[in-house]
Amino acid sequence: MCGIVGLLVKNQKMRADIGKLMLPMLIGMTERGPDSAGLAIFGAPVADDERKFCLYTPDVVFDWQKLERDFAAHFGTKDKVEQNANHVILKTTVASDSVKAWLKEAYPRLSLLCVGQLMDMYKDTGTPAQVAARYGFQNLSGSHLVGHTRMATESAVTPAHAHPFTAGEDWCLVHNGSLSNPNSIRRMLEHEGIGFETDNDTEAACRFLEWRMREGDDLKTALNKGFDELDGFFTLLMGTKDQLALVRDPFACKPAIVAEHDDYVAIASEYRSLAHLPDVKNANLYEPMPEELYIWKV
Amino acid sequence: MESLDLHKISVRELNQYLHKELPNKNGVKKLEILNPDGMHSIAAGMDAPVDIDIKGHGGYYVGGMNKHANITVHGNVGWGVAENMMSGTVRVKGFASSAAGATGRGGTLIIEGDTSLRCGISMKGIDIVVGGSIGNFSGFMAQAGRMVICGDAGDGLGDSMYEAVFYVRGKIKSLGADAQEEPMTDADYAAVKELLGRAGFKHDPKEFKRVAGAKKLYNWNADANQEY
């Protein structure tokens, strides 16, 4: 199974409350995905020359201040880290490759969840309500987000295997479904020099699409190539710095419903995650068609 | 009229009431269910002649396995509405998601809007009337019963169908294996008229075409070389 949710808030005044609007959406998908949950949210951008690095520690007690001191000592900067439970966000002007190399060397137990200028990412094991409470999802603000509740069917239950998945910067993907050829996709991409962090099938789809877009395809072209290459069932919801995009496999094996309202666009696997949204009775409700790309711009 | 609010009771409590207490009560012939909010299995397993109005959008399996009840959903429904229905009526005022009326054995399923994929899959005697269009792979392995589609049909309509009959008013994107268009007879026009009347849709039966199984799949054909 698995549940997906997406929310794009058009009404500027409501963006401060996007976390509160989203929380019942994510919890509404608990039966579809009780073992892990995750969220990628697009908020205020950092400065042009800065990047945000979202990091995860598996350790119950972790000395983030030491990380801050070590980072400052190594790079000679005064960058700060913001801690939130097992996550930390590091904002720095140091080049991404240097930061990634240093983290791998000095803090091998930390996982790098995402890099970008607008996107923060959270993912962890536990019920959606537990994960949301751990990281204070209800306090988040931003323009748009994608969320996921996971019922693992093909790989382990760990924070790294939870969705969203990301590759590149300010781009992420959540997936409801299963792929039957993730290993052949992986082998193909590994020949292109692309590395993998997990054995999760969604990571293969994520890296495939990011690779195509890095090679110059736009999202539509990349997804059309995805229809040729990805074998299996999928409803994919993607977030970029200024849009949400959704696509379903040719058999529409996995559900999705959209509510378009003057104030927001909300997407979920099922209507029960949309029922609480303000004035949803006046929203345009519809099911996305199979093999069609839907894009909503911020 | 009795009113049951799903903000106050659970679906399990609702269905236990509908199954166990309601049939023994005198007088209750009509009830409404408030705040369905996309919850699953609302009024599934009914076995009593009662009118039920669901005021809002239902989730999966609304009115599943229905026997005798007349259920109206004043909104949309998720997957598998009226799946395996035995008798009675389920009417959806909005649209229905995938597998509407799947495996249904009897009764009438009316969907005023569109349905998604696999409508009437493996139907076994149910009558389905769709006011809008139906998605791909509808009527797959349909064994018995009738389906009237006032709009268009998607890809692979009636793939591997048996004795069921479909009447389509709009365009058919493609027919599935062994499904074929056939001439309408007087009995077909009468059947469409009667089913449209049941649903309250006003179309001319002359606008419909008949789709049924060519029955070439009934026996194994070793020479077909897996090409059907």
Side-chain angles (χ1 to χ4, degrees):
Chain A
M1 265 209 170
C2 295
I4 58 169
V5 298
L7 185 59
L8 186 154
V9 178
K10 296 190 254 183
N11 182 335
Q12 301 271 355
K13 287 180 202 150
M14 290 166 73
R15 289 185 177 171
D17 291 326
I18 194 170
K20 285 187 191 71
L21 285 171
M22 178 281 303
L23 189 60
M25 295 177 72
L26 196 72
I27 290 172
M29 290 292 93
T30 300
E31 285 171 29
R32 297 188 67 90
D35 65 46
S36 333
L39 188 75
I41 183 160
F42 295 81
V46 292
D48 277 352
D49 58 348
E50 274 190 321
R51 291 290 180 279
K52 294 198 267 193
F53 294 79
C54 293
L55 303 168
Y56 175 88
T57 175
D59 301 319
V60 178
V61 179
F62 186 85
D63 189 351
W64 293 109
Q65 273 68 44
K66 182 174 180 306
L67 172 80
E68 194 175 273
R69 287 195 303 275
D70 290 350
F71 188 86
H74 185 81
F75 290 107
T77 62
K78 288 180 180 166
D79 295 319
K80 298 282 181 203
V81 298
E82 292 168 27
Q83 187 200 340
N84 182 356
N86 289 41
H87 279 57
V88 75
I89 295 172
L90 165 71
K91 290 178 194 165
T92 180
T93 54
V94 176
S96 284
D97 289 346
S98 309
V99 176
K100 286 180 192 169
W102 178 79
L103 283 167
K104 211 169 199 172
E105 180 72 27
Y107 285 89
R109 275 178 68 74
L110 289 184
S111 317
L112 177 60
L113 295 176
C114 70
V115 187
Q117 292 193 293
L118 296 92
M119 187 171 81
D120 295 341
M121 188 182 287
Y122 305 86
K123 53 190 204 174
D124 212 338
T125 54
T127 65
Q130 287 166 343
V131 174
R134 200 173 300 152
Y135 297 103
F137 284 177
Q138 76 276 10
N139 300 321
L140 293 172
S141 62
S143 54
H144 57 301
L145 57 80
V146 301
H148 188 265
T149 66
R150 182 167 187 244
M151 183 185 283
T153 52
E154 48 66 60
S155 58
V157 177
T158 74
H161 285 81
H163 301 217
F165 282 90
T166 183
E169 291 191 0
D170 285 332
W171 188 81
C172 71
L173 171 154
V174 293
H175 172 204
N176 174 200
S178 58
L179 299 179
S180 51
N181 66 339
N183 292 331
S184 62
I185 303 265
R186 289 166 66 97
R187 281 194 294 275
M188 177 178 77
L189 294 178
E190 278 163 358
H191 285 301
E192 302 290 332
I194 293 166
F196 284 79
E197 282 167 17
T198 71
D199 57 347
N200 184 290
D201 59 343
T202 306
E203 189 183 353
C206 175
R207 293 199 184 278
F208 174 84
L209 294 172
E210 194 273 334
W211 168 64
R212 286 315 318 155
M213 289 191 287
R214 199 153 27 87
E215 293 288 312
D217 289 353
D218 59 18
L219 185 59
K220 196 178 168 85
T221 313
L223 281 165
N224 277 331
K225 285 181 183 147
F227 284 126
D228 295 336
E229 295 289 343
L230 304 175
D231 184 17
F233 308 134
F234 49 85
T235 293
L236 296 173
L237 178 63
M238 291 149 279
T240 72
K241 64 183 185 343
D242 59 0
Q243 62 190 24
L244 293 182
L246 179 132
V247 72
R248 299 175 77 193
D249 72 70
F251 292 87
C253 274
K254 296 295 171 183
I257 185 162
V258 179
E260 287 190 12
H261 188 274
D262 288 345
D263 288 335
Y264 55 81
V265 177
I267 303 130
S269 299
E270 296 178 35
Y271 177 75
R272 54 182 162 158
S273 273
L274 307 179
H276 70 284
L277 287 167
D279 196 37
V280 73
K281 67 177 186 299
N282 289 317
N284 175 28
L285 286 174
Y286 62 93
E287 281 200 1
M289 302 292 281
E291 264 189 316
E292 266 185 42
L293 175 62
Y294 293 79
I295 291 179
W296 301 275
K297 296 216 182 277
V298 173
Chain B
M1 183 170 48
E2 197 170 350
S3 198
L4 298 159
D5 187 346
L6 284 171
H7 279 179
K8 293 178 182 152
I9 59 169
S10 68
V11 173
R12 177 167 295 182
E13 287 167 331
L14 166 75
N15 283 344
Q16 282 175 348
Y17 172 78
L18 296 177
H19 298 161
K20 291 177 184 163
E21 288 180 48
L22 184 66
N24 301 321
K25 264 188 159 181
N26 291 323
V28 180
K29 292 278 188 284
K30 193 168 170 65
L31 60 86
E32 63 176 6
I33 296 168
L34 306 178
N35 295 309
D37 284 357
M39 285 183 240
H40 292 190
S41 307
I42 294 171
M46 286 301 300
D47 192 5
V50 54
D51 291 344
I52 297 176
D53 279 289
I54 299 173
K55 297 291 181 72
H57 304 307
Y60 290 12
Y61 317 127
V62 171
M65 302 174 282
N66 180 43
K67 225 174 175 180
H68 306 307
N70 292 314
I71 300 168
T72 302
V73 184
H74 297 262
N76 311 318
V77 290
W79 288 30
V81 61
E83 51 104 27
N84 215 63
M85 177 154 67
M86 305 302 284
S87 65
T89 304
V90 174
R91 179 187 286 271
V92 178
K93 295 266 190 187
F95 65 76
S97 186
S98 294
T103 76
R105 289 176 173 270
T108 310
L109 169 62
I110 298 155
I111 294 148
E112 297 190 1
D114 297 336
T115 80
S116 189
L117 292 81
R118 299 177 281 280
C119 180
I121 184 171
S122 200
M123 55 193 273
K124 298 177 175 76
I126 189 174
D127 287 327
I128 301 174
V129 187
V130 181
S133 297
I134 61 172
N136 300 342
F137 318 120
S138 287
F140 176 60
M141 290 188 77
Q143 288 143 60
R146 298 167 297 178
M147 179 151 59
V148 174
I149 301 132
C150 298
D152 302 332
D155 268 324
L157 177 68
D159 194 292
S160 309
M161 65 191 292
Y162 295 78
E163 308 282 335
V165 179
F166 305 152
Y167 301 103
V168 187
R169 180 165 163 268
K171 290 192 282 290
I172 299 169
K173 200 169 172 196
S174 70
L175 291 168
D178 205 42
Q180 64 180 13
E181 261 187 65
E182 295 178 349
M184 291 282 281
T185 64
D186 287 345
D188 290 314
Y189 290 125
V192 172
K193 189 178 177 199
E194 191 266 320
L195 288 164
L196 288 172
R198 244 192 262 175
F201 297 150
K202 292 185 178 16
H203 295 297
D204 183 353
K206 297 259 186 251
E207 295 172 344
F208 288 78
K209 44 193 168 283
R210 175 189 159 103
V211 172
K215 302 182 173 60
K216 286 181 186 152
L217 299 181
Y218 278 32
N219 300 296
W220 169 247
N221 178 4
D223 296 327
N225 199 24
Q226 296 296 311
E227 296 289 333
Y228 296 103

